[in-house]
């Protein structure tokens, strides 16, 4: 009961706050009519609060950890219009999580993954995202977000929450496809490519916001 109440309150606050943001989106829109489906979206863990608002209501299935914090995030995700979350982490239930994510994609539903979660290191992509892309055949789309002004939390991921009336930018990167027959060296190269693209996109957005504020 308390969890449901907190999720309702959190969604109410986030929707109210997000309604004040000045949002700009660019990059090829993966939600456009006729765009390939399904898609795996990958964003850094620090951007989860922006993603909850910017990607709301589209029925994405976002992987969530098995922790108590994960329970609260899952409840909030459902309030924001996301699908039921596959649950697991790199240390607990990883194989079951991968299987559930594959089933989700094969049903035609888009999925989302935080490649440096749930415990970091921040900004370091773990191999799960590219493994999921290899097995499922779905394209992996890097998603970058930036905001100014914003609050930064003291958590391990240095999470970002835009302040009221902040300028918020979202950019979809070039899809990354991981061939089903690639070996360990190719998987590692794909992991590094995903990590590099996310850092590049985030750096571009932050630089553009900095220049716009001068």
């Amino acid at each position: 009961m308390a969890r449901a109440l907190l999720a309702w309150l959190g969604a109410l606050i986030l929707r109210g706050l997000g309604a004040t943001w000045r949002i700009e989106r660019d990059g090829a829109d993966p939600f456009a009519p006729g765009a390939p489906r399904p898609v795996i979206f990958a964003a850094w863990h620090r951007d989860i609060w922006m993603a909850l608002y910017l990607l709301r209501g589209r029925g994405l299935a976002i992987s969530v950890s098995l922790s108590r914090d994960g329970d609260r995030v899952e409840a909030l995700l459902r309030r924001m219009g996301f699908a039921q979350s596959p649950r697991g982490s790199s240390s607990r239930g990883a194989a079951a999580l991968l299987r559930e994510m594959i089933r989700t994609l094969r049903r035609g539903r888009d999925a989302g993954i935080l490649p440096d979660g749930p415990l970091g290191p921040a900004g370091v992509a773990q191999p799960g995202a590219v493994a999921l892309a290899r097995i499922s055949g779905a394209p992996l789309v890097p998603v970058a977000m930036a905001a100014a002004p914003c609050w930064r939390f003291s958590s391990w991921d240095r999470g970002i929450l835009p302040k009221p009336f902040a300028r918020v930018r979202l950019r979809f990167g070039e899809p990354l496809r991981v061939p089903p027959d690639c070996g360990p060296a190719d998987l590692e190269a794909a992991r590094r490519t995903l990590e590099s693209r996310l850092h590049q996109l985030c750096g571009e957005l932050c630089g553009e916001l900095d220049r716009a504020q001068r």
Side-chain angles (χ1 to χ4, degrees), residues 15-122:
R15 286 179 185 275
L17 181 60
T20 72
W21 296 343
R22 295 171 292 158
I23 300 169
E24 303 167 6
R25 305 168 188 258
D26 59 38
D29 183 2
F31 298 110
R37 301 250 83 80
V39 170
I40 306 166
F41 295 95
W44 292 137
H45 200 281
R46 70 173 193 180
D47 295 334
I48 187 170
W49 300 109
M50 288 186 284
L52 281 172
Y53 185 78
L54 297 173
L55 301 178
R56 71 193 185 284
R58 296 185 180 273
L60 271 68
I62 309 294
S63 60
V64 173
S65 74
L66 291 167
S67 66
R68 220 173 253 183
D69 284 345
D71 293 341
R72 289 189 282 268
V73 171
E74 158 71 0
L76 180 56
L77 282 166
R78 299 305 296 274
R79 281 284 178 181
M80 294 299 291
F82 290 79
Q84 183 173 353
S85 299
R87 303 294 299 274
S89 69
S90 57
S91 57
R92 297 174 60 203
L97 172 62
L98 182 61
R99 288 194 297 269
E100 185 56 35
M101 292 289 281
I102 292 166
R103 282 194 288 266
T104 295
L105 290 160
R106 286 179 176 167
R107 289 194 293 264
R109 185 178 294 281
D110 294 330
I113 193 165
L114 306 171
D116 59 343
L119 296 174

Side-chain angles (χ1 to χ4, degrees), residues 109-188:
R109 185 178 294 281
D110 294 330
I113 193 165
L114 306 171
D116 59 343
L119 296 174
V124 176
Q126 302 301 314
V130 293
L132 178 61
R134 180 182 68 82
I135 297 170
S136 68
L140 191 55
V141 177
V143 186
M145 288 158 263
C150 64
W151 290 292
R152 279 192 177 272
F153 302 118
S154 58
S155 54
W156 66 267
D157 62 349
R158 300 291 292 161
I160 295 171
L161 180 63
K163 293 183 178 181
F165 306 101
R167 189 175 178 186
V168 177
R169 300 205 66 183
L170 177 147
R171 179 166 294 162
F172 296 108
E174 181 183 351
L176 173 65
R177 289 193 175 271
V178 183
D181 58 349
C182 68
D186 293 323
L187 274 177
E188 173 58 17

Side-chain angles (χ1 to χ4, degrees), residues 146 169 171 199-209 211:
R169 300 205 66 183
R171 179 166 294 162
H199 283 305
Q200 180 182 353
L201 290 168
C202 290
E204 290 172 357
L205 292 184
C206 289
E208 290 164 12
L209 286 177
R211 289 191 292 274

